[in-house]
Amino acid sequence: MTMTVERGGRVTGKRDGAVHPRRARDSYALFLLPGALAFLAVVIVPFLMNTGVSLTDWQGVGSPEWSGLANYRELLDDAEFWESFRHSLFMVAAMAALPTAVGLVLAAALFDYVGKHFGSRTAAVLRACFYLPQVLPIAVAGIVWSWILAPDDGSLNEFLQAVGLSSWRQDWLGDPDLALWSVMGVMVWVQLGFPLVVFMAGLERVDPQLYEAAELDGAGWWRRFRHITVPQIRPEIYVVLTWCTIAALKVFGAVYVLTKGGPGGATNVPSYFSFTTFFEKTQVGYGAAISTVLTVIILALSVIGLGLQTRAEDAEEGAHA
């Protein structure tokens, strides 16, 4: 070790061969460079190009004509866009709010009850069963559900007739009053496994003595859930809500496979509305404006979600300090 004397007479020690902090930061930057370049090429540049196209009047061929903010002014008065955005709020409920709430309860039940009484292997098998829809490609899941919900020979209607409830048979995807609710039901089934797995992973870091002490004090499962489980995995809850909300806002595959935005626009969402505006109506500038607005909304929600997650983590660290 070599000794150095700094200004003010303070003596410091430095190990021979130690890496200077600034040099270490520079070496970290080299590892980040490939990811930064990929992010620039795949995300930033296309977003800037899309924003530029949104300021033009263009049909996809020929030279774009500069229109400034005309597409955005038209968007503010477009009832079809606002209706599609309203449908997105229903998708947020189906893909974020409901799966998060149900997944939290199921994760706590598997961790705190099933794991203790039936073994961790049983809990792991059930967890895998709930997560299975996340593994399936959304196109495959959509096709299977379109068979199940078919009006004539679909499995659901056939089951209702077999149990004597033929009056409940419906055109689940063809009725404007039922189509959105049917798609929402499918998305709850698809999305439920993700919160469940994240919450169960979060519960692994909770001190088991907290549950044991609460159980010795006579606290039932629900009280342990309210006073231990939820506060301890609050950062994971914010992560799941943010992630699932973003997925709900940009949902496309399920709508495309199941209903193609119909019937009569009953299941249209901004991402599908942008797609049809681009490729069917060939209003490329207007479709780019829809995509830009949707991207800005998603970015804003991401920043809010990250802020809430950071605040929850800081509060947890402060409580443990």
Side-chain angles (χ1 to χ4, degrees), residues 178-251:
L178 294 175
L180 182 59
W181 296 102
S182 300
V183 175
M184 289 171 61
V186 173
M187 296 316 298
V188 170
W189 175 80
V190 169
Q191 198 72 14
L192 183 59
F194 174 72
L196 176 67
V197 170
V198 173
F199 292 148
M200 289 195 71
L203 287 170
E204 293 290 342
R205 63 179 179 80
V206 179
D207 189 354
Q209 294 181 357
L210 293 175
Y211 289 99
E212 294 173 2
E215 197 168 0
L216 289 174
D217 289 340
W221 180 86
W222 179 248
R223 293 188 64 186
R224 296 197 300 273
F225 172 77
R226 286 181 55 194
H227 298 289
I228 298 177
T229 301
V230 175
Q232 290 293 320
I233 62 170
R234 190 172 286 116
E236 284 82 0
I237 294 175
Y238 289 133
V239 169
V240 167
L241 282 174
T242 302
W243 186 278
C244 293
T245 299
I246 292 172
L249 289 174
K250 64 178 187 174
V251 63

Side-chain angles (χ1 to χ4, degrees), residues 101-279:
V102 176
L104 184 58
V105 174
L106 286 175
L110 291 177
F111 183 83
D112 191 31
Y113 183 81
V114 175
K116 290 180 179 179
H117 293 82
F118 300 96
S120 58
R121 181 171 297 181
T122 302
V125 170
L126 292 174
R127 178 182 58 191
C129 292
F130 281 113
Y131 190 73
L132 181 61
Q134 282 278 314
V135 180
L136 294 175
I138 190 62
V140 174
I143 291 172
V144 171
W145 275 100
S146 66
W147 294 341
I148 295 174
L149 300 174
D152 297 326
D153 55 353
S155 301
L156 180 56
N157 282 339
E158 291 293 327
F159 172 76
L160 292 174
Q161 184 173 358
V163 298
L165 297 174
S166 56
S167 60
W168 289 19
R169 291 165 57 95
Q170 302 288 340
D171 186 358
W172 301 101
L173 298 175
D175 188 340
D177 295 328
L178 294 175
L180 182 59
W181 296 102
S182 300
V183 175
M184 289 171 61
V186 173
M187 296 316 298
V188 170
W189 175 80
V190 169
Q191 198 72 14
L192 183 59
F194 174 72
L196 176 67
V197 170
V198 173
F199 292 148
M200 289 195 71
L203 287 170
E204 293 290 342
R205 63 179 179 80
V206 179
D207 189 354
Q209 294 181 357
L210 293 175
Y211 289 99
E212 294 173 2
E215 197 168 0
L216 289 174
D217 289 340
W221 180 86
W222 179 248
R223 293 188 64 186
R224 296 197 300 273
F225 172 77
R226 286 181 55 194
H227 298 289
I228 298 177
T229 301
V230 175
Q232 290 293 320
I233 62 170
R234 190 172 286 116
E236 284 82 0
I237 294 175
Y238 289 133
V239 169
V240 167
L241 282 174
T242 302
W243 186 278
C244 293
T245 299
I246 292 172
L249 289 174
K250 64 178 187 174
V251 63
F252 173 82
V255 173
Y256 180 80
V257 174
L258 288 170
T259 62
K260 288 185 168 55
T267 58
N268 200 12
V269 291
S271 58
Y272 188 79
F273 183 36
S274 175
F275 170 80
T276 56
T277 304
F278 260 106
F279 298 105

Side-chain angles (χ1 to χ4, degrees), residues 42-56:
V42 176
V43 178
I44 300 298
V45 172
F47 174 71
L48 294 176
M49 293 176 63
N50 184 79
T51 304
V53 172
S54 71
L55 302 174
T56 65

Side-chain angles (χ1 to χ4, degrees), residues 231 233-243 245 299-317:
I233 62 170
R234 190 172 286 116
E236 284 82 0
I237 294 175
Y238 289 133
V239 169
V240 167
L241 282 174
T242 302
W243 186 278
T245 299
L299 287 174
L301 289 174
S302 300
V303 171
I304 294 172
L306 289 173
L308 292 173
Q309 178 191 353
T310 303
R311 187 180 303 176
E313 290 175 348
D314 292 342
E316 185 177 354
E317 290 177 0

